Amino acid sequence: MDAYAMHLAMAALVGASFVAVSAYYMHRKTLTQLLEFAKTVERERDDNSDAGGSSPQHFKKRRSHGRRKGSNGYYIKHGSASLPDVTAISGGGIDGEEKRNGHVLYVEGIPAGLPRLHTLPEVKSAGHVKRPGSFIRSTSPKSPGASASAFDNVEGSDDEDNMIDEDNMIDNSKPDTTYLLMNGNADIKDVLPQHINANVEQMPIPASSMIRSHSVSGDLHGVQPDPIAADILRKEPEQETFARLKISPIAEVPSPDEVDSYIILQECLEMRKRYLFKEAIAPWEKEIISDPSTPKPNPDPFSFTPEGKSDHYFRMQDGVIHVYPNKDSKEDLFPVADATMFFTDLHHILRVVAIGNIRTLCHHRLNLLEQKFNLHLMLNADREFLAQKSAPHRDFYNVRKVDTHVHHSACMNQKHLLRFIKSKLRKEPDEVVIFRDGTYLTLKEVFESLDLTGYDLNVDLLDVHADKSTFHRFDKFNLKYNPCGQSRLREIFLKQDNLIQGRFLGELTKQVFSDLVASKYQMAEYRISIYGRKQSEWDQLASWIVNNELYSENVVWLIQLPRLYNIYKEMGIVTSFQNILDNIFIPLFEVTVDPDSHPQLHVFLKQVVGLDLVDDESKPERRPTKHMPTPAQWTNVFNPAFSYYVYYCYANLYTLNKLRESKGMTTIKFRPHSGEAGDTDHLAATFLTCHNIAHGINLRKSPVLQYLYYLAQIGLAMSPLSNNSLFLDYHRNPFPIIAASVWKLSSCDLCEIARNSVYQSGFSHALKSHWIGKEYYKRGPDGNDIHKTNVPHIRLEFRYTIWRDEMQQVYLGKAVIPKEVD
């Protein structure tokens, strides 16, 4: 080794030795300072104990010493995670420790003078062992209880106001009321100013069991999880507590004017009960679900078993079919309200809607309901979010949700349709697809006649997406169903009654089904049209379904009836409105009485869950009266009013459902489009007759109807996207429930919407039990299963309590609230 290398080695050795010695002395000096500080703390405690406890002034003084100045001039925080736990050194002796001069010295292999590994001392109170991290933490203005993060670590906090050390612990016997409010264990009147007239009742929801969350670990290096989060994660959601609202004064007595208004609202609700079809035996009573596993799929959904013809006899009379036990009997088995009674009751509802004091009362109650919900969110939003976190596996993306308002011709997106058209043009160009102008044309010839090629096609040219040009233009909106603006392309690709018997549409529908199955958690109710031009339409539709084997566990069907009598009358297809009713309902009664007469239709109707009415509601119309002509007498070219359609569809469907129920067959609910535009009498007619409706945005114009719909809990299938393209901009939509990014909806809001979509859909009782809980039909939190819906019991308890109180308010304390839904 040369001299230069030797010199470098010696220099490095000397330098390292110097650094080591310097570090040793600096470390020793620091430890000395810490021990002196600990002695000062111990002396101060002894002085305080001799003085006889801690008065408020003394407590304030001790808080002021949360930061002390050490001998080296630096400030030292109590409880800092970055320094040794000197407060533990000054505690009482425990096993393996001895006390000298008032200080604890550890003798378990730790050299004298070195601090012990940082751990938190246990504090025993009332027979329980608690750690400083579990002490109640006062709420500061920087982190109010209702909105503070539940995962802020107490020990590592740098906020001086929120710092907790051994000198500064709050007595466990005197908890902070603001913290308890957030946990639902104190009354809001204890923390709100006395002039606020509001009461909050803190009550826990009873629990059936408790579980330990796998995410809550033991004592890891003395750092404990936040007590709020740990408490929630350890328990089932049933253990949640929250702030229950009692806004109305306890001794509230309605004025005589309000009593009269409430009595009128009661009459309206009872009137609806007389009209609405209700199954004699509820589905959950006919089929008890004991197996919580996924219902087994139907292996052969299109199998037909001959059932034979019953003795029932039916005939049409004044637009309504009546059913008799046999041909010789005159006993009407299923009587329904006649047209005169219906239109009389409809006008009674319309008069109620126009009464000034009732409008004022309903407007006031609706505003109060909205403010109650806002207050609920302010108090309990964080609790709801933490409750959702406690539900394993579930979030908005993997809870079941049903699209309850989608038309089959628009079930695919525009890119999907474009890909399908290009694929068929490339693979089957020589397929004969249409007969036009006395000539059969192949698919290639059709595109040549349109001067188009597959290369030319794009989404813009396809032009099937509604845009600003369709606003208040229902005619242009309907034209968007024509690809490239060509009706012949619609006939080829989007119709089931065409030259190729709807093969292309069947293949496209199967692709959409496959997408739904792949997503697993998305379901749909597809609306498909029966026009009423001829009775064979039902058999054609059923044949298309069966022959193309269009079945999916994720899909059910609704039949929509376009209100196009005036067009068919001008074309000479029908002579009166009675023809349309015959074409729509007679085949349904025939297949119900004798399934062998329409075997494919009999199989198809097992998948049909609803009947819909569709068309442009904004068209002006004459309001019907009780002296309206019968359907057979309606021979003029004018289209009947919306409520005229509603009654005759309702009356025939009511009788059909009673007949099908008596024979053990599936029933069909009345679920029309209503209230998207036009007069409010549309909503009044559907209030009396329908289970739920599509749209309903005009409820914002009538507080009385809106309040009645709320009291009756009538479901709304809202479509802000469609409304924005047709009648109402996003920002004016009264039901902001689709895009979380637009309306800032929380995860709880979205999951509640998803649960409601399943709840009001037409899927079977077995599937609903699997998707949203075995007892989904019970009101309130008893019918909720957060492990399936991801909706906290807090939200369902709030909804049920507020609705129940509102019903008691309307019925003057005499409302009968069943435990199960109607």
Side-chain angles (χ1 to χ4, degrees), residues 410-472:
C411 65
M412 71 296 294
N413 59 49
Q414 52 185 344
K415 187 65 176 179
H416 188 173
L417 179 60
L418 178 64
R419 285 198 309 265
F420 183 82
I421 293 176
K422 284 188 173 184
S423 173
K424 288 301 175 184
L425 191 57
R426 183 176 64 257
K427 296 178 181 179
E428 303 181 34
D430 298 325
E431 178 75 15
V432 177
V433 294
I434 198 170
F435 179 78
R436 279 289 177 96
D437 302 326
T439 306
Y440 289 96
L441 299 175
T442 65
L443 186 59
K444 181 179 179 180
E445 290 171 342
V446 170
F447 275 85
E448 288 176 349
S449 67
L450 299 175
D451 195 22
L452 289 174
T453 66
Y455 180 79
D456 296 330
L457 288 178
N458 56 43
V459 167
D460 296 330
L461 184 61
L462 205 62
D463 194 23
V464 292
H465 187 72
D467 52 26
K468 62 181 181 180
S469 66
T470 63
F471 198 73
H472 283 287

Side-chain angles (χ1 to χ4, degrees), residues 388 395-404 521-523 735 737-738 745-761 763 768 771-772 784 788-791 795:
Q388 286 186 296
D395 53 33
F396 172 70
Y397 297 98
N398 56 15
V399 296
R400 264 73 178 193
K401 53 194 77 70
V402 181
D403 192 336
T404 58
Y521 298 102
Q522 294 180 348
M523 290 76 189
F735 201 56
I737 309 188
I738 292 297
L745 299 178
S746 68
S747 174
C748 182
D749 296 334
L750 295 173
C751 291
E752 185 183 19
I753 296 162
R755 178 184 183 273
N756 288 341
S757 70
V758 175
Y759 185 77
Q760 67 172 300
S761 72
F763 281 92
K768 288 183 179 180
W771 291 344
I772 59 177
N784 183 51
K788 293 182 179 292
T789 65
N790 203 36
V791 180
R795 178 64 63 90

Side-chain angles (χ1 to χ4, degrees), residues 32 97 229 282 286 427 639 761:
T32 302
E97 302 171 359
K286 289 187 291 186
K427 296 178 181 179
N639 205 30
S761 72

Side-chain angles (χ1 to χ4, degrees), residues 212-240:
R212 300 286 296 187
S213 172
H214 296 294
S215 62
V216 180
S217 61
D219 185 2
L220 299 178
H221 305 290
V223 180
Q224 292 295 307
D226 184 85
I228 305 173
D231 184 63
I232 291 179
L233 291 174
R234 285 191 190 102
K235 299 176 181 178
E236 284 280 5
E238 289 84 356
Q239 289 292 328
E240 297 166 3

